[in-house]
Amino acid sequence: MLSRPKPGESEADLLRFQNQFLAARASPAVKVVKKADKRRGAGGSGDEERPPLQDSKDVVILEDFPDVLPALTPAPPKKSKFKNACVCFNDEDPEERLECQDRHITAVFSKIIERDTSTAAVTMPVPTGDPFPRAFHRSEIKNEVKVESGRKSIFAQKIAAKRAAEEAVTAPPAVETRRTHGRLAVSGAMCSPGSAEEEPLHSTKDGKPDDGVSTQQPHIITGEGLGSLESEREALAIHEENLQKLHSMTQEEILQEQRRLLVQLDPSLVAFLKSRHGVDEGQERREKPGPPEPGTESQHGAKETVKDFSVGGSGMEESVRTEKDTRMEITEVDLPIKPQKEWIHMNNVEFEKLEWIKDLPHPRQKRTKKGMQARFSLKGELIPPDADLPTHLGLHHHGEEAERAGYSLQELFHLCRSQIIQQRTLALQVLGHVVQKAKAGEFASSLKGSVLRLLLDAGFLFLLRFSLDDTVDNVIAASVRALHALLVSPEDEEYLDQTFSWYQGMAVFPFTPNSEEEEEEEEEEEELTLMEKTPRKKSRDENKPDPDVARYDVIKGLLKTQFLHRLRYILEVVRPVPAVVLDILDILTRVARHSSEACSQLLACPRLIETIVREFLPIQWDPRVAEPGHLLTSLHGVACATAMKLIRVLASGGRNATARLLNKFELKSRLSRFIAEDPQDLPLCREEAIRLSTEAFRLWAVAAGYGQSCDLYRDLYPVLVKILQSLHHLLSDCQENPTFPLSIQRATAVVTLLTHVTQTAGCTAELQARLSSGPGDGEQIPPPPVTWNQVSGLRPFLETSLRRSVQEISRLETWQALQPLTTTYIIYLGVYYSVCSQQPSLNPIDCLEEVERLTSEVLLPLLSQPAMHSMWDLLRPCSALCNPLSCSPAPESLPSIVSLSCTGGKPLMSLAGSKSPFPFLTALLFLINNVTHIHKGLVSKYTSVLDFKGLKDYLLQSWPTRPPSITPSSAWILRHEYHLQYFVLALAQKMAGTCPDYAQHASLHHCVAMALLSRLLPGSEHLAHELLLGLAFNPEFIPEGKTGGPEAADFSDILHLGTSTKLAQPGLVAAGFPKPRRGVLLGESYQHLPFIRACYLSLFVHLEPALARSQVAYQRRTYLVQSLLLPEVKGPILPSDWPFFPLISLYNKVTGAETRGAVLNSLPPDLVNTVTRNLQWVLLLETWRARVLQNISAAAKLARLMCVFLTGGDLFREGPVYCYTAALLALYCQPKVLDSLELDAPLPGLASFHDLYISVLEQFEGVSFGDPLFGVFVLLPLQRRFSVQLRLAVFGEHVSTLRALGVPLKQFPVPLERYTSPPEDNLNLLRQYFRTLVTGVLRHTWCPVLYAVAVAHVNSFIFSQDSTTQEADTARKSMLRKTWLLVDEVLKKHLLYYKVPNPESPMGIDLYEQLPPIRLKYLQMVTKKEPKENMQMSDPE
């Protein structure tokens, strides 16, 4: 056996193997089989008929080329323009097609075969006198002779012209004659039906047929593939044969054949053939430029041309015709530049290519309803569609709609990927302008849809991210600017800086989008603990693609793309111009506001913070920067306020981040550098120096808010005292100094810093006491390096400054400028007095004297100022609750990019506006509360605060209105407004027990407190807890319990006997618990208010972690503050239906236990008490505070009350529970409540009311024992206007409930008309009514209410004569016949003689004494016709 070749063997070894194989005469392993040519039939491939190549031709084989063709997969695929036009046979072998069509070089050069010249004509050379044949020169050929080809070299054109001249000399006369005849179409199929009917195929001027056959050279068949000199002759012979066949056909046959070909051929092939014909015509016209002779034209029909053809008016043929007409319309006259003959290569003028130099058509002037593509100028401005702008502006181009100026978004996206740097830069700049103007709302009234949403959906975010990776500085600058326009809102930052010094202004909500997708995923993981949720959520985001993450959170999507690393590289290596550096710092600030996780990623990015601190917060820099007129070419190495602000926002992310910034990056030394030196001494321009100093103080204030960097207070104490001493000079500079607003901001930052240092110093004594007491359960925290004695000396400075500022309140302009600084003074004093009362070293008597002096000398005179009255009056115009539109989102706001909607500035009369009284009045109420907390005797002196008419009007309008929807903008604004309301209520709580005249405000303040409880946002859990603890359940705020409220409720029930007395007999279950009057129940509830409060407080255990964090922030224990970022806002702390929370919580526990398989046979007493307390509180609110619960729909209330029956089996049978449930049911069955009942609307906390009702039916079947109270809850949703599915559930799957629904008609609190009107139109339900009545399932003794309802609907249906469907008509006639044949005479009488419902009647219905004539006539018509067949009719069911 021969071995196979191995690697490393040479060609000699292969030859040796071949000789051995041939010598062995072994059979080959592969047999070569030649397949037959299918086109030649089954006879074979035809090789037998063909002589061998070696015998007839020379064959040259190139051995260097491989036999196997190399793979061409790396090469790009070639697309053929006429691929679909190629004719392919179904039985053609693909292998042969590959061999025939392959044009690889090895298929050409590996085997070179001599051309067959056996049939070629041999011509002898023309004898000349020259010793050698004369050489041909192309200059001997005349230029007038043209060839039909397109792009050929000049030499090839000369050769073709020579051959054409030789053929013209030697051509036969017949052919020449034919060429001079009139022109005809290539084929009869190429003529249109219209042209054939208008003019005969060959006609003369007289209209007679022309005997002479007009021919021409063939246009399609050229004979190039025949490979011999006879190719032209063969093509001409085929052409002659086609013409003869055409002459033998009639016009109808030609048209029929034409239609058949047009249907069979590919439209693109037809267009190609037509274009070939048009090219030949054009060449012949150029060969004969002179006008034709009139006689010749008329004789040979030269007017006949090939007209455009169409198949049924299809779009392709129409477009071909339009393009041809357009080409024919373009002439030299239309061109602004006339081609000259002397111009090179202009002998053949291509008008379609020169069309673009024509003048643009005028844009459309008339506006239409049809939308047009938006186009923008280079400044991002929207260009109107009818604007006729000059072309020198550079806004016209050769794209779509060339007559319109401007660039569309699609064209700008295309230019962003251009290879030309200027185009990329320009496109990015324009897109940045477009985004900036879109966020300002300039396109809201002009464009349909959101521009920003469209851009983000198109991938604009990642286009900018890719552009950041460019190597060109201009492209990087443009992309950074566009990204800055997309992410950063300068107005948002400006307003956040203004509110920094407000009460609790340093704490802000994170700019994290509240995504619906994330909410759904979190709902699926509700059972997971917090420790399990966090890593799972992080891994889920890591596994998602970047575009999916960016779709609901742009910042998070950018952070996944190594975005921070690229910005660090640009700052560190590229070192761009100052404008780009500032934009990058703003972008990083916006990223830091996103979340604590984003701050951690900023700190973890290698060398990012180091580069920013080193380059933009240096200790020393070139002093020439401060010189006027100095051009700053680079910001690197120069201190920058924007960089300091970035560090401050980073520090707000958490105390650990602040510690890293202060210690690792040496920011303490830089704080000392920028704070110790006065701004006017810094080598910077004046404005920048003040901003830098302001941001340094704010950063120090943030650090002091965590109890850190307080050691700098001792080092910089002289500097701080000097600044405090200079504050009074601001009053004299307010009119002259242009930097006065910046100086006010710096002063407020200084006072805010001192406030937090004072808070930290107030904790020193407590921490020292913990250390001295020894190790305990908690963590041992070292006390801060600042004591109370070191900060107590600041109060005289600030109190003196406050006195001077308050004196300016009468001067409106000055007061408006000083109001932010005055606000910080008041906040400082409030913090000082709240902390000083806890200091063991302080003399209480001295503190009380200071408070009395402050009240008498500062606060009371301030409250008596006329300007204060106007400030209280401004509360309502500036309130966000009273004016919800003031905090509405911007027109182009996106959920994936959080914004405060401050673009363009807030109105002056808004909560964040410059005329807003909220920050000052909130600080004033904060100080008054702390003063009255220390000195209880001063409470009565501040009663005038609650008597201000502006405050009462504001409270009266704010609490009943529905608050704005929770958005980032509204949450930021409402949090500050809720602070003012809380301090008003806290002051009212102090006055409730001490001031006798307070009772007039009690009801109003209680309503405000109840509304505020359902509105407070995350982070304010401490305020909610204080309201629940001291105000919501305080009897002092419910004066109705003392002033005859229960008796008034009883009197109201007596006046409305229709609802309350119907449930006077609750049934056998409650026989031992007679139902008391509602007044008695209200009196009992009022007495049990302390127990009700304990019940509610015990059920809010799930809020304890959030409550602890909130208490740390509001009680100013800085050493425990973990972050100044508030929790994410996904809604209020407490739901709007929180009064039902104990009942809902109990229902969830019971159903959850039953789901896990546990069975609760008995309920402990505390659960009964819990439900009782809940029902007592709801009854009290529904009676005396009904408007508080107006935001809860009647359907939601009914659904919550149904939980009483779904919890713990027979819980509703307990006496107190039964009584209070019946009292509430009486209230919910009042006509106004029933009218507002909407069970089809979506209910919060419920998937659907239908599912809840099915559970109620199952519970009723199991444990009701026919209880009438439970029966009323089952019957309530069966009213006619509610979903028919609820009634079908009762009369279908749960028909057994009809046996136990024994609610007496006199005890049923709902009018029967709500069940019987309008008549039922559901055929299935009507059949169920009739079946249950006839079969005895529904009886009057078992279910009197539904019996009357079913009789009413069946009677109305069987006697209805309205036009309806055939099925309904057959069913009602069948029911009427069956009713007539009923054996039960009582039921028969009820169904036939029913008149109207009447609850006072024993049967619940009134009957006719005799049928009305129209009904009697209809009954006789239906029942007496074909009586025998009536018995045989199919059951309508």
Side-chain angles (χ1 to χ4, degrees), residues 1038-1274:
I1038 309 178
E1040 292 84 354
K1042 299 179 180 179
T1043 57
E1047 293 79 5
D1050 287 340
F1051 184 71
S1052 175
D1053 292 342
I1054 294 174
L1055 294 178
H1056 300 83
L1057 299 177
T1059 59
S1060 61
T1061 59
K1062 287 188 177 181
L1063 293 176
Q1065 302 296 331
L1068 298 177
V1069 176
F1073 307 98
K1075 176 180 176 291
R1077 298 188 308 272
R1078 185 157 62 107
V1080 177
L1081 297 177
L1082 287 172
E1084 183 181 358
S1085 301
Y1086 185 80
Q1087 297 296 328
H1088 291 169
L1089 278 176
F1091 303 104
I1092 296 175
R1093 179 183 63 181
C1095 171
Y1096 276 85
L1097 289 176
S1098 64
L1099 288 174
F1100 290 111
V1101 182
H1102 66 285
L1103 295 176
E1104 285 187 357
L1107 175 62
R1109 292 192 297 268
S1110 179
Q1111 286 176 342
V1112 165
Y1114 282 97
Q1115 293 177 357
R1116 294 165 292 280
R1117 287 182 287 175
T1118 57
Y1119 60 91
L1120 293 177
V1121 176
Q1122 297 298 320
S1123 176
L1124 293 180
L1125 286 180
L1126 298 170
E1128 296 183 21
V1129 181
K1130 296 184 179 179
I1133 301 172
L1134 301 179
S1136 59
D1137 60 347
W1138 70 267
F1140 294 91
F1141 183 77
L1143 187 58
I1144 298 174
S1145 177
L1146 179 59
Y1147 167 74
N1148 292 333
K1149 289 181 180 179
V1150 172
T1151 54
E1154 293 177 353
T1155 303
R1156 292 190 295 268
V1159 179
L1160 297 178
N1161 296 321
S1162 61
L1163 295 174
D1166 59 337
L1167 294 183
V1168 177
N1169 293 334
T1170 299
V1171 176
T1172 303
R1173 305 300 180 224
N1174 192 171
L1175 296 177
Q1176 287 176 339
W1177 179 239
V1178 174
L1179 178 63
L1180 190 147
L1181 293 179
E1182 288 286 2
T1183 305
W1184 293 331
R1185 299 288 183 268
R1187 294 185 64 187
V1188 170
L1189 302 178
Q1190 65 181 355
N1191 291 331
I1192 310 174
S1193 64
K1197 295 177 182 178
L1198 180 62
R1200 270 65 177 167
L1201 203 56
M1202 283 182 174
C1203 294
V1204 174
F1205 303 96
L1206 298 176
T1207 302
D1210 56 352
L1211 173 66
F1212 70 95
R1213 298 162 63 88
E1214 300 290 338
V1217 176
Y1218 196 94
C1219 295
Y1220 283 102
T1221 304
L1224 287 172
L1225 179 63
L1227 294 177
Y1228 293 156
C1229 289
Q1230 294 177 358
K1232 291 183 179 180
V1233 180
L1234 291 177
D1235 292 340
S1236 63
L1237 192 61
E1238 295 291 340
L1239 300 182
D1240 297 333
L1243 301 178
L1246 282 180
S1248 68
F1249 183 83
H1250 181 269
D1251 297 340
L1252 178 67
Y1253 187 69
I1254 297 300
S1255 302
V1256 171
L1257 289 178
E1258 294 174 351
Q1259 189 79 353
F1260 181 81
E1261 293 173 344
V1263 300
S1264 69
F1265 297 102
D1267 181 74
L1269 178 63
F1270 201 166
V1272 173
F1273 277 90
V1274 173

Side-chain angles (χ1 to χ4, degrees), residues 108-120:
V108 180
F109 285 156
S110 61
K111 188 175 293 186
I112 303 175
I113 304 176
E114 182 185 3
R115 189 178 64 177
D116 184 11
T117 59
S118 59
T119 58

Side-chain angles (χ1 to χ4, degrees), residues 167-168 170-181 213-218 232-233 236-237 239-240 288:
E167 291 178 0
T170 59
V175 177
E176 181 67 25
T177 303
R178 292 177 186 136
R179 291 179 62 86
T180 60
H181 279 238
V213 180
S214 62
T215 64
Q216 63 178 5
Q217 292 291 337
E232 297 181 3
R233 191 161 37 249
L236 192 57
H239 181 57
E240 293 288 347
K288 301 177 182 180

Side-chain angles (χ1 to χ4, degrees), residues 966-1090:
I966 300 300
T967 62
S969 174
S970 63
W972 166 64
I973 290 293
L974 292 174
R975 178 172 175 267
H976 295 289
E977 184 166 358
Y978 294 157
H979 284 157
L980 181 136
Q981 291 188 354
Y982 170 76
F983 287 128
V984 171
L985 297 175
L987 183 60
Q989 181 182 349
K990 295 181 177 65
M991 295 182 180
T994 56
C995 301
D997 298 335
Y998 173 73
Q1000 58 179 337
H1001 306 296
S1003 298
L1004 172 61
H1005 293 158
H1006 188 257
C1007 292
V1008 174
M1010 295 299 297
L1012 185 59
L1013 273 172
S1014 60
R1015 294 175 178 177
L1016 286 173
L1017 301 174
S1020 302
E1021 290 82 4
H1022 171 68
L1023 305 184
H1025 183 264
E1026 291 296 319
L1027 290 177
L1028 288 173
L1029 191 63
L1031 200 145
F1033 305 99
N1034 192 338
E1036 298 292 338
F1037 288 91
I1038 309 178
E1040 292 84 354
K1042 299 179 180 179
T1043 57
E1047 293 79 5
D1050 287 340
F1051 184 71
S1052 175
D1053 292 342
I1054 294 174
L1055 294 178
H1056 300 83
L1057 299 177
T1059 59
S1060 61
T1061 59
K1062 287 188 177 181
L1063 293 176
Q1065 302 296 331
L1068 298 177
V1069 176
F1073 307 98
K1075 176 180 176 291
R1077 298 188 308 272
R1078 185 157 62 107
V1080 177
L1081 297 177
L1082 287 172
E1084 183 181 358
S1085 301
Y1086 185 80
Q1087 297 296 328
H1088 291 169
L1089 278 176

Side-chain angles (χ1 to χ4, degrees), residues 9-78:
E9 294 178 343
S10 62
E11 294 183 359
D13 297 327
L14 296 179
L15 291 176
R16 180 166 49 82
F17 291 151
Q18 177 181 351
N19 294 333
Q20 292 177 3
F21 175 76
L22 295 176
R25 296 184 179 181
S27 59
V30 178
K31 183 179 181 181
V32 179
V33 178
K34 294 186 178 180
K35 298 177 67 176
D37 191 351
K38 296 181 180 180
R39 288 174 294 182
R40 296 179 179 270
S45 62
D47 290 342
E48 297 84 357
E49 301 176 2
R50 185 182 305 165
L53 292 175
Q54 288 83 355
D55 299 338
S56 60
K57 303 175 184 178
D58 294 335
V59 179
V60 179
I61 298 177
L62 302 181
E63 298 180 354
D64 293 339
F65 286 93
D67 294 335
V68 181
L69 303 182
L72 297 178
T73 51
K78 296 183 179 180

